[in-house]
Amino acid sequence: MGTMANAESYILAIGTKKGLWLAHSTDRKEWSLNGPHFLMSEIPSIGIDTRGDSPRIMVGVRSEHWGPTVAHSDDLGATWTEPEQGAISFPEDTEAALERVWQIYPDAESRPGVVWAGCEPISVWKSTDGGEHFELNRGLWDHPHRSEWGAGYGGAAAHSIVVDPSGEKVHIAMSTGGVYRSLDGGTSWEARNKGISAYFMPDPNPEFGQCVHKIAADAAVDGRLYAQNHHGVYRTDDDGENWESIAEGLPADFGFVMLTHPRRSGTAWVVPLKADGERIPPDGRLAVHRTDDAGRSWKRLETGLPDHEYNSVLRDAASVDTAEPVGVYFGTRGGAVYASADEGESFTEVVSHLPDVLCVRAAVVSDAVVPAASVPA
Amino acid sequence: MADITVVLPSVLQPLAGGQSVLTAPAGGAVTVGALLDAVTGDYPVLARRLRDETGTLRRYVNIYVNGEEIRRLKGLETEVAAGQEVLIIQSVAGG
C-alpha cells in the first residue's frame, strides 16, 4: 500500500460551453471521465491549485441566465462550494458588474493561497485565501488607458496573467489592449507592446491596443516571455520592452494558444490557425508546433491527431502538466480533447463530442487523493 | 396583512433551501426591487443569480407581476400590492 500512496495520477479538467468534465489517468493514455458538472453553464476558466495538502479545483462558471460566479472543490469534483457573497464581485463605486472569469492563476509555490484572476470587463483580481475571495486590482482598473481598451470578438477581458518568481514582476495580456507590465507586484501598470503588430488599427504600431491572444513565461530565462498575437508570434527577452517575431517556420502566425515548459528554457508550444478570417487549422490539418530553441525553429507535431479538423483551439483550451516528460493537452471547439505524455510527440484522444472546449487544465496529483469512484477498474 | 409571494423556478429552489415559494409580509405596495431584497436576504447566492452587483436584473431573468413582465412596466420599480404573486421565470434563450 505504501507504494500506492506515493503513485502519481493525472487530473485533466475540461471546461466547455455546457459544463465541466474531469478526466483521470494513471498513464496519461487511458482516461476515465466524469461529468458534466455545472451542466448548461459555460466553464471558461479553471485553476488547479496543487500547493496544499489536497488539490483545489477552481472554476469560473457562467450561466446565460444566472450570470457568472466562481466555485471550488477540494475533493476533485465530488462537491463544489460557492462563497455566499461571490468570490469576485465589483465594488459599488466601479458601477461595473462581472461578466465572465477568463483566467484563474494559482501563484508560485512560495506564495501559498495567492490566486490571481483575469476577468471581463477588463480587470485583474488577487486572492490571498486560495480563491475564495478576490480583491480588484485598482491600479489596472483606474488605468488612464482604460477608456481606449476595446473588445475582442469574445469580449473585453484580461485573459493572461504571468507572475515572476519574485512576485514583483507581473505581466498581463488583454484583448484588446495588449500586454501590460507591473514591476511593483501589481500596484502600477505600463503598456509593453513595442514590436507587436496591431495591423487592424490606423497606426499598426501603437503603444497599446494590440490584440494579444496569450502570453507565457519562459521556464528559466528571466525577462523572457512568448506571445501569440492576433496574427504574429513573438518573444521578448527584456520583460516586454521589445518584442521580436518568432513566427518563421510556422504554417501560420494566427492562433490563440501559447504554452511554455514548466522547467526547460526555450520550449514553447502553439497551435496555429490559418488566419483571422479563416479560423481553421491550415489545410484542415490540426497540428501542434513546438520550439526548443526559443522560437528560432519549430517542429510540427501531429502524430495521433485526426486527418482533418476544421475546429479551432481557443486560448485557454490548452495546458501542460508538470510531469517528466511534460504532458501537453488541448481541446477543440468540436469537443475533442487530446493528451500527449511526451511533450507533444504523440497524442491520444481523451474524449470526443463534448460541447465546445473553452479551457483545459492538467495537474499531477497523488493517487491517494483520487476518489475511488473515478479510478478506472 | 396579506403576504406577497415569489415563485421560484425549480432550478433556483436549491438556493432557497429547497423552497419553491418565498413570502414577504406586506403592509402595502412595495417595489419588486425591495421585494427581492426582502426575500433573498437570507439567500445571497440566489440574490446574485437574479441581479448583478450593480443591482441590475440579469438579462435573461424575467419577473412577472400579475402576468406582466416587469420590463414592460417599471422594471424593478414596479409596485406589487399585498396579496399579489410574483413569478420568476428564466427566459427561453441559448442553444
Side-chain angles (χ1 to χ4, degrees), chain A residues 129-372:
Chain A
D129 64 359
E132 296 182 26
H133 173 73
F134 290 80
E135 291 286 338
L136 176 66
N137 183 293
R138 290 282 184 171
L140 190 73
W141 184 258
D142 295 330
H143 199 284
H145 292 174
R146 166 167 298 280
S147 63
E148 295 174 63
W149 294 336
Y153 181 66
H159 52 65
S160 300
I161 301 167
V162 175
V163 185
D164 88 324
S166 77
E168 292 300 308
K169 274 194 299 198
V170 186
H171 288 81
I172 62 166
M174 62 181 76
S175 295
T176 59
V179 175
Y180 281 72
R181 184 188 72 186
S182 173
L183 296 177
D184 52 17
T187 304
S188 61
W189 300 87
E190 290 179 302
R192 281 295 177 271
N193 296 290
K194 187 181 171 191
I196 300 180
S197 169
Y199 70 92
F200 45 84
M201 292 179 70
D203 170 7
N205 298 297
E207 179 192 4
F208 64 95
Q210 282 80 356
C211 188
V212 176
H213 286 172
K214 200 72 199 170
I215 58 172
D218 189 86
V221 175
D222 183 37
R224 175 177 287 176
L225 294 96
Y226 306 86
Q228 171 66 63
N229 190 46
H230 190 106
H231 278 302
V233 183
Y234 298 93
R235 188 189 75 227
T236 177
D237 290 327
D238 52 13
D239 283 317
E241 292 295 332
N242 298 279
W243 294 87
E244 62 178 282
S245 175
I246 54 169
E248 192 177 331
L250 290 170
D253 66 358
F254 192 84
F256 291 98
V257 171
M258 179 58 79
L259 299 173
T260 49
H261 196 286
R263 292 176 298 276
R264 192 169 69 233
S265 180
T267 294
W269 294 262
V270 293
V271 184
L273 299 175
K274 187 173 179 186
D276 168 44
E278 295 181 63
R279 298 183 180 198
I280 60 171
D283 302 317
R285 292 189 59 90
L286 181 61
V288 176
H289 285 70
R290 187 185 73 222
T291 179
D292 291 312
D293 54 14
R296 290 173 191 86
S297 65
W298 294 93
K299 181 178 184 184
R300 182 181 178 90
L301 307 166
E302 58 185 339
T303 302
L305 298 180
D307 290 339
H308 65 271
E309 174 64 69
Y310 293 95
N311 288 288
S312 55
V313 179
L314 296 176
R315 76 189 84 227
D316 279 297
S319 183
V320 292
D321 65 26
T322 55
E324 184 60 44
V326 162
V328 179
Y329 308 84
F330 71 94
T332 72
R333 293 200 76 169
V337 179
Y338 301 96
S340 167
D342 53 13
E343 307 201 341
E345 294 293 328
S346 63
F347 286 90
T348 53
E349 186 182 88
V350 176
V351 60
S352 58
H353 306 297
L354 291 183
D356 317 43
V357 177
L358 306 178
C359 185
V360 304
R361 287 294 182 272
V364 182
V365 298
S366 162
D367 255 354
V369 301
V370 176

Side-chain angles (χ1 to χ4, degrees), chain B residues 4 24-36 38 76-82 84:
Chain B
I4 300 175
V30 296
T31 65
V32 172
L35 178 64
L36 292 181
L76 292 169
E77 297 301 312
T78 302
E79 291 197 336
V80 189
Q84 284 189 320

